[in-house]
Amino acid sequence: MAKEKIKNNNIILIGFMGSGKTSIGLKLSYKLQMAVEDTDKIIESREKMSISDIFATKGEGYFRKLELEVLYEIRNCNGHKIYSLGGGTPVQLQNQSIICQCGKVIYLRAKPETIYDRLKGDTTRPLLQCDDPLSKIRDLISKRKYAYERCADMIVDVDDMEQSEIVDAIVNFINNEE
Ligand code: S3P
């Protein structure tokens, strides 16, 4: 997606739940000596509630509004940080152009089976608390993949990569872009 000229040196990690945004964000932070933030954590600390409780008591629509507010803040602050976005943030068309203005966008792309293996037994993702999480993951990924791809400056296929390889690939990409 074409970037509008807004000066922003952030690195933005996007991808489905369980694609590794949080752990890769932490490793990148160490390697690049940049602060890292997680938009879900920002929302949880503001609401003083877990994401699951926000979904359960206030609904997904309310959560999506908070996500958009955080996105605007990232876009507007001309920062130099790493941000891991919630897996659903790029879905709304309105969010996509804002994400692109937030910084360099890295999409951690993973196959449904990889996500399923990683998140089996996880209870913190309200959208996957159902009888057949693998089908739900497949369905959501097929609906979301174009949104992720449209936002991405770089796509990393993470399924068969070590975390250190993913981090190195991102660092190379960022260095070559500068
Ligand atoms: C969501 C992903 C979650 C969290 C919420 C909704 C989604 O973030 O924002 O449960 O719609 O994919 P992670 O991708 O960090 O798990």
Side-chain angles (χ1 to χ4, degrees):
M1 184 178 279
K3 299 227 170 217
E4 284 177 39
K5 287 278 169 221
I6 287 189
K7 234 178 136 219
N8 240 321
N9 292 316
N10 299 307
I11 298 173
I12 309 295
L13 299 175
I14 62 168
F16 200 76
M17 294 170 262
S19 58
K21 296 168 300 228
T22 303
S23 42
I24 295 300
L26 286 169
K27 290 200 155 52
L28 266 181
S29 157
Y30 182 71
K31 186 124 186 174
L32 295 173
Q33 293 296 291
M34 285 167 75
V36 64
E37 296 215 49
D38 185 315
T39 55
D40 282 346
K41 296 269 172 324
I42 295 174
I43 291 171
E44 286 182 330
S45 92
R46 284 185 187 170
E47 293 294 299
K48 300 184 178 51
M49 226 188 257
S50 68
I51 300 292
S52 299
D53 287 344
I54 298 172
F55 269 68
T57 61
K58 300 188 170 176
E60 183 174 349
Y62 178 80
F63 172 75
R64 298 296 173 200
K65 278 193 209 140
L66 300 178
E67 264 188 332
L68 179 58
E69 277 171 30
V70 175
L71 262 191
Y72 274 123
E73 289 167 19
I74 298 171
R75 198 272 309 265
N76 293 343
C77 78
N78 290 340
H80 183 65
K81 285 188 184 175
I82 299 160
Y83 287 95
S84 310
L85 302 191
T89 317
V91 174
Q92 302 288 325
L93 204 55
Q94 180 191 13
N95 295 9
Q96 292 170 15
S97 57
I98 307 169
I99 290 173
C100 290
Q101 294 168 1
C102 285
K104 290 271 174 274
V105 182
I106 316 293
Y107 169 24
L108 304 182
R109 184 164 62 187
K111 295 187 178 129
E113 294 72 19
T114 305
I115 301 287
Y116 177 72
D117 271 354
R118 291 182 183 180
L119 295 185
K120 267 191 306 230
D122 176 275
T123 55
T124 64
R125 270 68 172 207
L127 295 179
L128 302 182
Q129 307 313 302
C130 57
D131 290 341
D132 186 356
L134 179 56
S135 299
K136 185 75 185 282
I137 292 166
R138 286 200 177 112
D139 180 47
L140 283 174
I141 289 183
S142 77
K143 288 184 179 134
R144 291 177 172 186
K145 63 182 177 192
Y146 298 114
Y148 293 135
E149 286 168 10
R150 265 198 298 275
C151 294
D153 293 301
M154 178 199 196
I155 299 176
V156 189
D157 286 307
V158 297
D159 304 275
D160 299 317
M161 289 174 83
E162 299 290 335
Q163 289 197 337
S164 59
E165 294 175 306
I166 299 169
V167 169
D168 288 346
I170 298 171
V171 171
N172 277 340
F173 174 77
I174 297 293
N175 288 338
N176 287 333
E177 289 277 297
E178 279 171 0

